[in-house]
Amino acid sequence: MAVAEFLDTAQGRRLAYHKSEGAGPTVVFLGGLKSDMEGTKAVYLEAWAQARGQAFLRFDYSGHGESSGTFEEGCIGDWHEDTVAAIEALTEGSLVVVGSSMGGWQALLLAKAMPERIAGMVTIAAAPDFTEEGYWASFSDEQKAALETVGHVELPSDYMEPYVITKRMIEDGRQRLVLRAALNLPFPVRFLQGTADTAVSTETAVRLLEHADGPDMRLLLVKDADHRFSDGPCLELIEQAVLDVMPSQ
C-alpha cells in the first residue's frame, strides 16, 4: 500500500493525501463525515483513474483518517478550508469533483468558491445543509439545551461509534448553507442517490436537483441502494457518471 504524503496548510493543519499524476482534468474525491480516503469508493476511483492515466487526488480532512486534529474540533468550514487548500496546492487546471455524503456538501461549497476550476461534478448521497436540516431540526429541547451547557451532543450512527456534534459545528454550518440561496452549477452534474439510504433521504436529493441551477443536471435514483453506495453495480454507476461529466478530450 502506498504511503500517504502530507500537506501543511495555512490554517496550521496537516492533511494526508494520495495524488496520482496523469492527464487532466484531475478527479478529486471528497469523502463523507468521519470517513477517510481509504474508503471503497475513493480507492476504486483511484485505481480506475490510474488505469486511464487520469490525474487523481484523495485526501483526509483534518480530524479524519491520517490528518492532524480530532473530529470533535472540526466543522464544515474547516473542512472546506482543507478542501480548498488541498486543491490549490496539489492540483492544476480543471477538476472533476466527486463528493460523497458530506463530501457532496463540500463539492457544492467548492462550486461557490472556485466555479472556474470545475469541469464536472458527481455527488453520491449528497448531504447539503445536514447540520441544520438534519441535526438541528431533529434535536429535542434537551439536546438544544445541552449544546449550550455542555457544548455538544452525541448521536448514534448506523455505521460507527456515535457522532459528537458540537455547538461550533451547528453554528458554523449555518454560515455554509447552500439550499437557501442561489446555487449555480455551470457544468455537467450527476447526482446519485439510493432509495434505501437511511442517512440521506430521496427527498433531499430531489430538493437539491430542483434548487440548483445549471445547464446539465441529472439525478439517478438507484432502487435499494444504501448510503454506502459501494457495491459493484454502484461503483460502476459512479465510474459511468464521472465519464459522463468528463470534458471531451
Side-chain angles (χ1 to χ4, degrees):
M1 181 182 295
V3 176
E5 298 182 81
F6 290 88
L7 170 69
D8 293 313
T9 74
Q11 292 82 21
R13 305 182 194 119
R14 189 168 173 80
L15 305 181
Y17 69 91
H18 288 276
K19 177 185 175 184
S20 304
E21 301 294 343
T26 302
V27 178
V28 179
F29 185 83
L30 303 178
L33 191 73
K34 294 196 81 174
S35 184
D36 61 45
M37 62 175 171
E38 299 301 329
T40 302
K41 295 184 288 292
V43 173
Y44 177 90
L45 279 178
E46 179 183 65
W48 172 82
Q50 289 173 344
R52 282 173 50 87
Q54 192 92 36
F56 184 86
L57 174 67
R58 58 186 169 105
F59 67 94
D60 286 330
Y61 311 112
S62 53
H64 292 68
E66 297 179 68
S67 292
S68 68
T70 65
F71 172 77
E72 291 77 18
E73 294 172 330
C75 62
I76 302 301
D78 290 351
W79 302 324
H80 173 59
E81 290 174 348
D82 294 344
T83 301
V84 170
I87 285 172
E88 289 183 340
L90 303 172
T91 71
E92 297 179 355
S94 60
L95 311 169
V96 169
V97 181
V98 182
S100 175
S101 193
M102 190 270 285
W105 188 358
Q106 291 295 338
L108 299 170
L109 290 171
L110 192 67
K112 296 169 77 73
M114 52 175 72
E116 71 287 348
R117 293 281 310 272
I118 301 178
M121 179 181 293
V122 176
T123 69
I124 307 153
D129 301 3
F130 71 84
T131 55
E132 191 71 10
E133 308 288 355
Y135 292 159
W136 180 256
S138 66
F139 282 172
S140 65
D141 290 342
E142 290 78 9
Q143 287 173 311
K144 291 178 179 179
L147 276 185
E148 292 298 327
T149 56
V150 183
H152 69 268
V153 296
E154 292 189 5
L155 299 180
S157 166
D158 288 344
Y159 298 103
M160 59 192 77
E161 69 273 9
Y163 289 138
V164 175
I165 305 304
T166 64
K167 179 181 178 182
R168 179 170 181 255
M169 183 184 285
I170 296 295
E171 292 182 342
D172 173 84
R174 289 193 181 122
Q175 308 305 312
R176 313 286 173 177
L177 303 178
V178 294
L179 295 180
R180 300 189 182 188
L183 179 61
N184 188 32
L185 304 177
F187 38 74
V189 182
R190 300 294 178 263
F191 303 121
L192 307 180
Q193 176 70 40
T195 64
D197 190 331
T198 58
V200 176
S201 68
T202 299
E203 288 75 17
T204 298
V206 172
R207 182 181 174 196
L208 174 57
L209 177 73
E210 292 178 339
H211 176 75
D213 182 49
D216 181 8
M217 287 190 296
R218 301 177 197 172
L219 167 61
L220 177 64
L221 296 178
V222 182
K223 185 171 176 62
D224 295 332
D226 64 15
H227 191 63
R228 294 178 189 273
F229 210 88
S230 58
D231 64 10
C234 285
L235 292 173
E236 291 175 4
L237 288 172
I238 296 168
E239 176 185 324
Q240 184 56 53
V242 173
L243 284 172
D244 210 21
V245 303
M246 189 82 68
S248 299
Q249 301 298 314

